[in-house]
């Protein structure tokens, strides 16, 4: 029997379909592979009603409550308890409408409210309503940004945003692409640097290259080691350059390590500087590092995922002095600028299609060269992905709404609040500022009364102080009053790392943080 003979009209069915399949069968329905083909099977009316009701829940439980300090930051539950509350197991039969709405309510209730004014835990936070609205649009349209024909609006808005970001870098020309995270942007940069040094690697692989080594600060983001592992460079070929007491790369040690690598017979090809380190918020001396890169003909990448947004501010852009000399830059607007996760750009100072030459596969079903429009707008072959989210759109919408001056005001205010908190820490008994903040990272210890009395700061003192931050963190999360991160670093035992981003954060919130830490930890 041919495949065409497998199609039957309703009067020629050889098998009895299920009652659900025959329900509402129209005159021209056909049976194919025991499935009745009779119009759409989605109940649009119920679906539309569900979306409307979920939007009401979102507005009431997320948007309206985003700035309410009387709401909890989190409703902590242990994993096994939360599994039961959410009923996470998937079933064969779909759940009823009201059960699904309750699942939505519970998902919001037991999630961390990152838009809360007292969420200081990560390098992102707060809520920008324009960005949020733009995310609703892209989620509803479900685009993939690889060709202009399927994503015209989002192709053009991404181009506009990239050009404006390059302008802030003081580049006259360049290229770029939005990626799914700063880690991936850094990985792109490593791959580009290697391809620029040895273009044959794309076709012939690692056997065609000598032992390549890259250099980065000991304070760098861990994605540099991951990039080396993922791309086959090897983590042992990542040379970590010493940082000073403020967390900045020491150029003299970089120069020494580059020379040592050459004497070992290795081939240096890349230096990665950091503008805004994860823990300390430190900015490497870019001009000095650029001099070394030029001397040794090395690709110069700047991981400005966290600190890049200081470029928006006329007051603080000096932190990134020299970034115009970089060959590539990673910058995440979803961090300080609150564009919403995820929103991460890789910018490349190149006008010779390096991104495309390095990553293209020339898929003929996507990137036909005989299309009826300008195929230069088919940007997808620059990416290591195929499907790609319209991440730039939310940043574009927010930038259109606030303007560069509005974004600058956010950066300036966040850094002013950081200075205020640092000043208050130095004034209060039981608090010790560890580093003077350069950016929005405020690192400090809380020293409970029992430890303030100890004159000898020996091993016992530091062992007990090491337990203070984790204990207070547990208490604040179970209470739901706020969230602040902590970690040990170098020779320092556990300390709090407080991050300020959201324009909804007030001076009173800064005072609350210190009062609440003292309240939660004074008995330790």
């Amino acid at each position: 029997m041919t495949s065409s003979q497998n199609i039957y009209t309703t009067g020629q069915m050889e098998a009895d379909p299920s009652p659900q399949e025959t329900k509402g069968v129209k005159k021209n329905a056909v049976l194919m592979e025991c499935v009745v083909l009779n119009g759409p099977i989605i109940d649009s009316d119920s679906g539309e009603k569900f979306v409307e009701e979920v939007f009401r829940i979102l507005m009431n439980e997320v948007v309206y409550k985003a700035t309410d300090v009387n709401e909890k930051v989190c409703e902590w539950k242990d994993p096994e308890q939360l599994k039961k509350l959410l009923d996470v197991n998937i079933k064969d039969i779909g759940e009823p409408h009201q059960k699904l709405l309750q699942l939505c309510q519970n998902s919001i209730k037991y999630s961390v409210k990152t838009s809360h004014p007292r969420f200081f835990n990560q390098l992102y936070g707060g809520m920008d309503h324009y960005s949020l609205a733009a995310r609703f649009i892209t989620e509803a349209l479900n685009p993939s940004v690889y060709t202009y024909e399927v994503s015209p609006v989002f192709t053009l808005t991404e181009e506009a945003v990239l050009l404006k970001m390059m302008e802030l870098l003081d580049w006259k020309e360049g290229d770029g692409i939005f990626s799914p995270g700063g880690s991936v942007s850094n990985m792109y940069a490593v791959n580009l640097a290697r391809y620029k040094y040895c273009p044959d690697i794309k076709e012939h692989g690692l056997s065609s290259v000598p032992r390549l080594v890259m250099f980065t600060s000991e304070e760098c983001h861990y994605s540099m080691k991951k990039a080396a592992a993922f791309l086959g460079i090897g983590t042992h070929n990542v040379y970590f350059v010493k940082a000073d007491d403020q967390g900045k790369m020491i150029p003299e040690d970089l120069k020494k390590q580059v020379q040592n690598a050459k004497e070992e017979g290795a081939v240096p090809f890349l230096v990665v500087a950091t503008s805004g380190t994860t823990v300390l918020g430190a900015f490497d001396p870019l001009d000095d590092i650029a001099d070394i890169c030029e001397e040794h003909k090395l690709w110069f990448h700047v991981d400005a995922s966290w600190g890049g947004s200081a470029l928006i501010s006329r007051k603080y852009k000096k932190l990134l002095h020299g970034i115009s000399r970089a060959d590539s830059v990673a910058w995440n607007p979803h961090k300080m600028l609150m564009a919403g996760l995820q929103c991460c750009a890789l910018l490349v100072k190149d006008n010779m299609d390096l991104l495309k030459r390095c990553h293209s596969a020339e898929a003929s079903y996507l990137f036909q060269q005989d299309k009826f429009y300008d195929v230069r707008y088919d940007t997808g072959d620059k990416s290591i992905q195929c499907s790609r989210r319209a991440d730039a759109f939310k940043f574009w919408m927010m930038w259109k709404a606030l303007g560069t001056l509005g974004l600058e005001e956010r950066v300036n205010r966040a850094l002013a609040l950081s200075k205020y908190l640092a000043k208050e820490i130095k004034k209060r008994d039981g608090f010790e500022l560890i580093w003077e903040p350069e950016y929005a990272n405020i690192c400090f210890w809380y020293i409970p009364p029992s430890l303030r009395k100890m004159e000898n700061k020996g091993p016992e003192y530091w062992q007990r102080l090491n337990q203070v931050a984790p204990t207070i963190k547990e208490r604040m999360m179970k209470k739901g009053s706020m969230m602040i991160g902590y970690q040990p670093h170098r020779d320092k035992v556990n300390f709090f790392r407080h991050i300020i981003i959201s324009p909804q954060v007030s001076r009173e919130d800064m005072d609350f943080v210190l009062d609440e830490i003292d309240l939660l930890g004074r008995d330790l």
Side-chain angles (χ1 to χ4, degrees), residues 431 446 448-449 468-469 471-484 496 512-524:
F431 289 86
Y446 171 71
V468 171
T471 303
I472 294 176
K473 176 64 178 285
E474 178 184 357
R475 292 177 178 181
M476 73 172 69
M477 289 199 67
K478 289 182 175 178
K479 184 178 178 182
S481 57
M482 60 184 185
M483 281 183 66
I484 304 173
F496 288 110
F512 174 84
V513 165
L514 301 183
D515 292 341
E516 183 73 356
I517 287 175
D518 184 52
L519 178 66
L520 295 172
R522 64 178 60 154
D523 65 324
L524 296 177

Side-chain angles (χ1 to χ4, degrees), residues 78 80 86 162-163 172 187 207 236 259 292 307 310 342 370 407 411 413 420 423 426 433 445 456 472 489 492 497:
D78 289 320
E80 295 305 316
L86 293 177
L162 288 169
L163 286 171
K172 291 183 172 60
M187 197 174 297
S207 61
H236 286 176
Q259 191 59 45
I292 296 168
Q342 58 199 23
D370 55 356
L407 295 178
V411 174
R413 188 175 186 279
Y420 172 82
K423 181 180 177 182
K426 288 186 282 189
L433 188 69
W445 281 307
N456 179 22
I472 294 176
H489 191 67
K492 303 289 192 293
R497 183 203 63 172

Side-chain angles (χ1 to χ4, degrees), residues 325-344:
R325 301 172 66 185
D327 295 296
S328 57
V329 174
W331 177 359
N332 292 2
H334 74 235
K335 293 182 184 289
M336 175 62 77
L337 297 181
M338 296 170 50
L341 285 162
Q342 58 199 23
C343 189
C344 313

Side-chain angles (χ1 to χ4, degrees), residues 446-458:
Y446 171 71
I447 303 165
S450 64
L451 293 182
R452 295 173 212 170
K453 301 172 184 176
M454 294 180 66
E455 296 182 2
N456 179 22
K457 292 186 178 182

